[in-house]
């Protein structure tokens, strides 16, 4: 079975808000701080289940960075003057650094973060930065996908070998000897899409190989999950939700209206999670097997895989 979900990318009233990006003024500083702390407070609450008393442990970024680079600090402002997002950028000689970047929760998934990053990159170009950098949270595929869209690499070439070992460990836990290395390498090498990693600390606990339209297996106008898996030792549906959210954000950033995923209904927990998330069946196929059957497959495995 394959399933699809639509991705509207609009606000709760179905409207696209009128947003303008401008540089931060002195009178904005307190509001910018509040927006950043509110947005990241929501993020940490979603990640940890509790809201921190002090976001960033009480560290203050806005005033210092505005004093250092007033031309590198930007806000996203709604038509009525409400500040709904902010991005801070500084220059260290030829090195440009971005962050924090924040958009209020109710205004996310509407390209506001992308508009803020575009403004920051314009600032870097004006100042002839030869290297741009950003630090983000490894357990947030949504943030990683946003920065990857702007050309920031989240994985150095030298680290790929170690990551692939962790990916192989995940697939080997699903079916002994299963190895997706070639799938990952071909998607990366031919720019067919991307492989998303879900990390916890220094460990990879899940991944998704995603094809985008072009010369890949993705249907026209859709992002397509070729293979997705969560470590069998980390069978929490929240991890599957996180990877699916990252795929959906990737599709939205590419202005695609659909995400297509495969689901083997033997993986019943994964199937139920898709239905809960709003996916619906597209067409049904039968999976047939020959050979050794009594291996590691388990109904609670969080796996989306296409055998066609």
């Amino acid at each position: 079975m394959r399933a699809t979900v639509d991705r509207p990318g609009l606000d709760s009233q179905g409207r696209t808000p009128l947003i303008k990006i401008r540089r931060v003024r002195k009178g904005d500083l307190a509001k910018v701080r509040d927006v950043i702390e509110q947005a990241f407070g929501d993020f940490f609450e979603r990640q940890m289940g509790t809201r921190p008393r002090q976001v960033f442990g009480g560290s203050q970024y806005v005033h210092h960075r505005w004093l250092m680079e007033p031309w590198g600090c930007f806000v996203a402002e709604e038509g009525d003057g409400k500040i709904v997002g902010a991005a801070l950028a500084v220059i260290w000689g030829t090195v440009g650094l971005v962050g924090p970047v924040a958009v209020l929760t109710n205004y996310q998934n509407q390209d506001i973060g992308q508009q803020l990053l575009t403004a920051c990159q314009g600032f870097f170009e004006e100042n002839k930065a030869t290297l741009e950098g950003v630090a983000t949270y490894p357990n947030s595929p949504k943030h990683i996908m946003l920065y990857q869209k702007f050309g920031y690499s989240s994985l150095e070439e030298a680290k790929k070998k170690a990551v692939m070992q962790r990916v192989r460990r995940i697939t080997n836990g699903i079916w002994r000897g299963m190895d997706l290395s070639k799938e990952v390498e071909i998607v990366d090498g031919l720019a067919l899409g991307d492989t998303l990693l879900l990390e916890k600390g220094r460990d990879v606990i899940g991944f998704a190989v995603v094809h985008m339209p072009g010369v890949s297996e993705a249907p026209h106008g859709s992002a397509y999950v070729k293979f997705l898996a969560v470590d069998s030792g980390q069978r929490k549906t929240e991890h599957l939700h996180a990877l699916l959210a990252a795929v959906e954000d990737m599709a939205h950033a590419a202005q695609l209206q659909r995400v297509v995923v495969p689901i083997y209904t033997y993986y019943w927990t994964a199937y139920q999670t898709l239905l809960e998330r709003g996916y619906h069946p597209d067409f049904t196929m039968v999976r047939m097997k020959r050979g050794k059957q009594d291996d590691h497959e388990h109904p609670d495995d969080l796996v989306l895989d296409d055998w066609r």
Side-chain angles (χ1 to χ4, degrees):
M1 180 178 292
R2 196 165 64 159
T4 63
V5 66
D6 292 331
R7 186 73 172 169
L10 301 174
D11 66 15
S12 58
Q13 285 76 42
R15 302 170 304 182
T16 301
L18 178 63
I19 299 292
K20 75 172 182 178
I21 307 298
R22 63 169 176 81
R23 284 188 162 97
V24 172
R25 297 189 284 260
K26 185 176 182 180
D28 299 324
L29 295 180
K31 294 179 182 177
V32 171
R33 182 196 62 202
D34 291 344
V35 165
I36 291 174
E37 292 189 352
Q38 183 177 335
F40 275 94
D42 290 348
F43 167 72
F44 291 135
E45 186 172 6
R46 290 193 300 270
Q47 293 288 316
M48 301 181 294
T50 57
R51 196 175 190 88
R53 285 188 174 183
Q54 290 185 313
V55 178
F56 310 126
S59 298
Q60 299 293 320
Y61 296 104
V62 177
H63 286 70
H64 163 248
R65 297 192 181 181
W66 181 79
L67 288 170
M68 181 177 174
E69 296 284 5
W71 292 102
C73 300
F74 300 89
V75 293
E77 185 177 69
E78 206 173 17
D80 60 1
K82 179 182 178 181
I83 293 176
V84 301
L88 311 179
V90 298
I91 289 282
W92 290 352
T94 59
V95 177
L97 302 178
V98 181
V101 179
V103 176
L104 292 177
T105 302
N106 291 341
Y107 290 82
Q108 292 175 9
N109 300 320
Q110 297 168 18
D111 297 334
I112 297 172
Q114 295 183 44
Q115 294 179 55
L116 287 165
L117 278 174
T118 298
C120 292
Q121 290 197 320
F123 168 69
F124 292 147
E125 290 171 5
E126 292 168 5
N127 288 273
K128 297 179 172 55
T130 58
L131 175 67
E132 301 171 22
V134 60
T136 191
Y137 296 93
N139 57 344
S140 176
K142 182 175 183 178
H143 289 87
I144 291 173
M145 282 307 305
L146 172 63
Y147 296 125
Q148 283 181 329
K149 178 178 174 61
F150 280 78
Y152 294 97
S153 173
S154 62
L155 190 63
E156 297 173 9
E157 197 67 32
K159 296 180 179 178
K160 289 184 179 180
K161 184 176 180 180
V163 167
M164 284 310 308
Q165 289 177 343
R166 297 186 181 108
V167 167
R168 280 192 290 270
R169 187 201 64 212
I170 292 173
T171 55
N172 189 67
I174 299 164
W175 190 273
R176 190 177 293 114
M178 182 186 287
D179 188 348
L180 269 289
S181 298
K182 289 184 179 179
E183 286 281 354
V184 173
E185 289 169 3
I186 200 73
V187 167
D188 181 39
L190 297 182
L192 302 181
D194 212 341
T195 298
L196 309 181
L197 303 175
L198 182 63
E199 297 179 306
K200 185 176 183 180
R202 294 184 177 182
D203 203 9
V204 176
I205 63 171
F207 72 99
V209 181
V210 185
H211 289 210
M212 301 296 277
V215 293
S216 73
E217 296 182 22
H220 180 71
S222 304
Y224 172 56
V225 175
K226 177 67 176 178
F227 190 97
L228 180 153
V230 173
D231 191 332
S232 57
Q234 301 278 346
R235 290 187 185 126
K236 296 181 180 179
T237 56
E238 64 197 65
H239 299 326
L240 178 55
H241 279 293
L243 279 168
L244 288 169
V247 175
E248 293 160 12
D249 289 335
M250 184 176 177
H252 179 63
Q255 298 183 327
L256 301 175
Q257 296 302 309
R258 296 208 318 165
V259 173
V260 177
V261 302
I263 179 65
Y264 176 35
T265 53
Y266 179 82
Y267 297 132
W268 191 249
T269 302
Y271 175 57
Q272 291 296 315
T273 302
L274 287 174
L275 296 180
E276 292 168 7
R277 198 170 178 84
Y279 287 75
H280 56 83
D282 187 0
F283 63 83
T284 304
M285 300 182 74
V286 175
R287 177 171 293 188
M288 302 173 68
K289 300 178 182 177
R290 177 176 179 268
K292 187 177 180 181
Q293 302 287 322
D294 56 341
D295 215 295
H296 299 179
E297 283 185 319
H298 191 282
D300 289 335
D301 280 340
L302 301 178
V303 177
L304 307 176
D305 58 344
D306 191 347
W307 282 21
R308 291 177 304 145

